[in-house]
Every structure is written in structure tokens, then in C-alpha cells.
Amino acid sequence: MPIRVMLVDDQVLLRTGFRMVLAAQPDMEVVAEAGDGVEALQELRSTAVDVVLMDVRMPKLDGVETTRRICSEPDSPKVLILTTFDLDEYAFSGLKAGASGFMLKDVPPGELLTAIRSVHSGDAVVAPSTTRRLLDRFAPMLPSGGKEPQHKELERLTDREREVMILVAQGLSNGEIAARLVLSEATVKTHVGRILTKLGLRDRVQVVVLAYETGLVRAGGQG
């Protein structure tokens, strides 16, 4: 079954461009489009979607709040935020709202297609270094010291899981973590999976956000 994609953007020409790129792929299908968040939520009530490409600045309901509402539902589609360099703060808010990652609007078609497939399979959807740079910039916006309940959640982790979480938050891939800790990639992937389960997180992007929120990792990427 092809990956069912929904395009949410108030610019018709942009949606048209994305639709043409996706339509040329045998494993993808654009099943819905929306020009704002309200319309997107309405479409999702009647259309089965796997991945949502979400703009951030839209009339009626912006992409961040729309993402929050989508991700609060059980078995919700994955959301990939579309942003520009001057809207990084929106991408950060989108990640906190539950998005699985973000891409720049002028991303080369090949990278966009790879990101959609990665989101659908549950893997990382942006380069870890890109996520780290974004969070380094906006870490001062996070509560200092984090919230106490989140600290208690981290106590569920073993020492090794905590170590892996810090490296994930510092922007290392599974392969890089494996090399650093002298483990197999499969073992690292298992640790990441256990971290997600124990902390009730959707994906490794949310692992990074939580690590910054709790102070496990500070701005600059240091644990």
C-alpha cells in the first residue's frame, strides 16, 4: 500500500509542486489537501492519512496548534513540519507539539521523499545535527531545570539507557552511538526503543526535546 500523504499549506502553488513530486513516486499517494489547519482537521475526520506535510504559518489555525491537535489523537498520522530559516521558532514549537521532524520548504525533492519515507517507517526524519542546532538555539526558552515529573520519569532509565539518551540528544546517529559505546547498532536501536517506551515518547525527536527540557543536556549539546 502506498504511503498516504496529506498536504497542508495555504499556498496553492506550493501544494501543487509537492503533489507533482509525490505523484511521480510509486510508493506515495496524495490523498488530501488543505489550505489551513481547520480544513486539515476536517479532512482527517474522513480520510486515512499516514504522513502530514504541515506548513506553520496559515490562516484560521496555524500549523503548530494543528499539529498539537493531530498528535493528541490515538493512532494519529505522523507530522512533518515545513519551515524556512527565519521561522525556526515555529519548527521548535512544532516539535514540542508532537511533530516527528521538520524540513525546509526549499528542500531538494529527493530529500523530501526520503524524509516522508523515514517518517512513515518511524525512523529519524531530520539530520540529528540539524535538530541539535535548532534546540541549541532555543534551549533558553525551555524551563530551567525542567519539570519535576519529567525528572522522575528519567529515573526509570538504566544507566546505559540514560547514556544513550544523552548521545541521541547530542545529535549522534545510532551508528555513531554504537561506535562511541562499542555496541552493535541493533543494541543501540533496542535501547532507543526502550527509552521511548519508558518515557512515553513518539520518536527520537521527542527524546531530544525532553533531554533539553529536563536539563539532561544543556545548550551546546553537553550532557
Side-chain angles (χ1 to χ4, degrees), residues 196-210:
L196 295 176
T197 299
K198 287 183 178 182
L199 301 181
L201 304 175
R202 287 170 57 102
D203 50 45
R204 64 190 296 134
V205 174
Q206 289 195 337
V207 170
V208 179
V209 172
L210 181 61

Side-chain angles (χ1 to χ4, degrees), residues 62-76:
D62 66 36
V64 173
E65 180 57 28
T66 305
T67 297
R68 182 176 294 108
R69 296 187 189 184
I70 290 174
C71 294
S72 66
E73 296 293 327
D75 300 320
S76 61

Side-chain angles (χ1 to χ4, degrees), residues 166-191:
I166 289 172
L167 294 177
V168 168
Q170 289 177 347
L172 275 67
S173 66
N174 284 354
E176 291 168 336
I177 294 172
R180 177 78 63 88
L181 300 180
V182 195
L183 299 170
S184 70
E185 255 189 88
T187 299
V188 172
K189 188 171 183 179
T190 297
H191 282 312

